[in-house]
């Protein structure tokens, strides 16, 4: 009995070595190819300094990164890139509406400049009797131009809705209002920037 136990005792280290070799072989076969890091090693890898060594350089780098990100977003928005568009501008029908508006001349895009000019006219030093007449005429012209803008937007909306139904099956809710709001903006100030030329209506 004593001789049997003495001969079996050294087999424990050998079995441990075989078990370790088997685990390592399994890790390599599974694609891991390296030993599992210890808890201390993982904590050291995840540890980050709370305060950078060079605060000024870190601020400059962060400011440059934010500026680059803003410039990329602005460029994407101006180009009509869907990734950078706000929710109100996203979608194929909104893209169609923008191109439809930008391809035509709209009465509304001249509304703001004309109103500003007419209001400036009322501040000119006219005699009191003429000034009242000028103010009345200016008011009539402003309201007349506003009425023309509304009519133009309604006609444009009807034409665009017909094309949207032919292309997409149905016009998206709010797309006509979206197009009207773009139509009363000056072309250079529209955002996203116009992607088509005058007369280049979308198909």
């Amino acid at each position: 009995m004593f001789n049997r136990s003495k001969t079996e005792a050294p087999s424990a280290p050998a079995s441990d070595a075989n078990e370790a070799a088997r685990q390592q072989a399994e890790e390599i076969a599974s694609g891991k190819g390296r030993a599992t890091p210890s808890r201390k090693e993982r904590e050291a890898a995840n540890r980050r300094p709370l305060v950078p060594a060079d605060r000024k350089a870190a601020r400059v780098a962060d400011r440059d990164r934010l500026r680059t990100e803003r410039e990329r977003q602005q460029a994407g928005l101006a180009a009509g890139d869907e990734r950078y568009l706000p929710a109100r501008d996203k979608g194929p029908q909104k893209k169609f509406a923008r191109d439809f508006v930008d391809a035509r001349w709209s009465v509304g895009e001249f509304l703001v400049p004309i109103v500003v000019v007419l209001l400036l006219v009322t501040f000119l030093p006219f005699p009191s009797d003429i000034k009242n007449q000028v103010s009345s005429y200016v008011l009539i012209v402003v309201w007349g131009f506003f009425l023309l803008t509304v009519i133009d937007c309604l006609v444009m909306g009807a034409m665009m809705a017909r094309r949207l139904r032919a292309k997409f099956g149905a016009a998206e809710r709010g797309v006509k209002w979206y197009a009207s709001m773009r139509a009363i903006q000056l072309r250079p100030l529209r955002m996203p920037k116009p992607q088509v030329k005058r007369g280049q209506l979308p198909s």
Side-chain angles (χ1 to χ4, degrees):
M1 293 179 60
F2 293 105
N3 292 335
R4 184 179 180 182
S5 61
K6 288 180 180 179
T7 57
E8 291 179 353
S11 63
S15 61
D16 292 342
N18 292 335
E19 181 65 20
R22 186 182 63 79
Q23 290 179 356
Q24 185 176 5
E26 288 178 354
E27 291 176 353
I28 295 175
S30 63
K32 191 172 182 182
R34 58 181 175 81
T36 303
S38 64
R39 179 179 179 183
K40 185 177 182 181
E41 291 172 342
R42 290 197 302 268
E43 291 177 350
N46 294 330
R47 190 178 297 116
R48 297 289 185 274
L50 296 177
V51 180
D54 191 341
R55 296 185 182 182
K56 184 176 180 180
R59 286 197 301 269
V60 171
D62 190 55
R63 188 164 56 247
D64 292 342
R65 180 182 59 80
L66 292 176
R67 184 177 66 253
T68 302
E69 180 64 23
R70 284 195 301 270
E71 291 174 353
R72 182 165 58 249
Q73 291 177 354
Q74 287 294 328
L77 174 61
D81 191 332
E82 286 280 333
R83 295 174 298 175
Y84 301 101
L85 294 181
R88 66 181 179 86
D89 295 314
K90 287 185 176 181
Q93 293 204 23
K94 297 293 181 63
K95 173 68 167 59
F96 187 95
R98 290 196 299 271
D99 291 344
F100 189 87
V101 171
D102 297 335
R104 65 190 299 273
W105 292 93
S106 300
V107 177
E109 60 186 297
F110 303 104
L111 177 62
V112 173
I114 288 180
V115 168
V116 171
V117 171
L118 292 176
L119 288 177
L120 291 176
V121 169
T122 60
F123 288 100
L124 294 177
F126 294 110
S128 58
D129 54 339
I130 298 178
K131 190 176 183 65
N132 292 333
Q133 293 180 359
V134 170
S135 299
S136 300
Y137 292 146
V138 166
L139 187 61
I140 292 173
V141 172
V142 168
W143 278 106
F145 206 84
F146 180 77
L147 181 60
L148 287 176
T149 300
V150 172
I151 294 174
D152 182 64
C153 287
L154 291 174
V155 172
M156 178 199 65
M159 294 171 57
M160 186 187 66
R162 186 167 61 250
R163 288 173 176 258
L164 286 172
R165 285 192 296 269
K167 185 177 179 65
F168 299 100
E172 184 180 319
R173 182 178 180 182
V175 69
K176 290 195 289 186
W177 177 258
Y178 175 80
S180 298
M181 291 300 98
R182 186 174 179 88
I184 64 175
Q185 297 175 0
L186 291 172
R187 183 181 172 88
L189 301 181
R190 293 171 183 171
M191 193 66 67
K193 294 292 185 182
Q195 305 295 314
V196 297
K197 297 179 180 179
R198 301 277 192 184
Q200 190 180 350
L201 289 171
S203 57

